[in-house]
Amino acid sequence: MDNRILTSLGLCAKAGKLIFGVPMIVEAMQKGKKIYLVIESGDTSDNTHKRITDKCSFYGVEKIQIDVDGGVLASAVGKTSSLAALAITDEGFYKMISKYFD
């Protein structure tokens, strides 16, 4: 399951339909940008997990946590440093990725 999600996230990144990192995701939510899904890496700290979960709950955004570390998540989307989370901003990519965890 996770390999298909990671491959799909790579396509999504190439299309420019991702927001990378918790601060940028939170800022986008606060500004009202439409976010369809937040994907959290499996190795986030308790504080980061709580922050992401609370913000997603408050703004009504779906969130999943996948069982890969931040380095693997970053590598899948072409980034070099670890990523705690990323957000999908396109409905088509959201539908494509969501079928892997339903």
Side-chain angles (χ1 to χ4, degrees):
M1 172 187 82
D2 289 334
N3 283 338
R4 291 181 293 185
I5 291 173
L6 295 174
T7 302
S8 298
L9 287 173
L11 294 173
C12 195
K14 286 182 181 183
K17 301 297 182 181
L18 292 179
I19 300 172
F20 305 103
V22 176
M24 298 300 287
I25 293 169
V26 170
E27 181 181 331
M29 286 180 188
Q30 291 169 340
K31 289 183 176 181
K33 182 161 178 71
K34 181 63 179 163
I35 295 175
Y36 290 91
L37 177 67
V38 173
I39 298 176
E40 179 185 1
S41 67
D43 65 345
T44 56
S45 69
D46 291 340
N47 287 339
T48 301
H49 176 72
K50 183 178 180 345
R51 182 175 184 203
I52 294 168
T53 302
D54 289 350
K55 291 296 181 182
C56 287
S57 177
F58 182 79
Y59 289 103
V61 175
E62 187 176 353
K63 180 190 82 76
I64 63 165
Q65 188 171 25
I66 59 175
D67 192 27
V68 297
D69 66 36
V72 172
L73 186 60
S75 177
V77 296
K79 299 293 181 184
T80 55
S81 59
S82 184
L83 276 177
L86 49 82
I88 298 172
T89 60
D90 181 79
E91 186 175 14
F93 282 111
Y94 163 69
K95 288 178 180 178
M96 178 176 69
I97 291 171
S98 67
K99 69 182 176 184
Y100 296 130
F101 60 85
D102 280 344

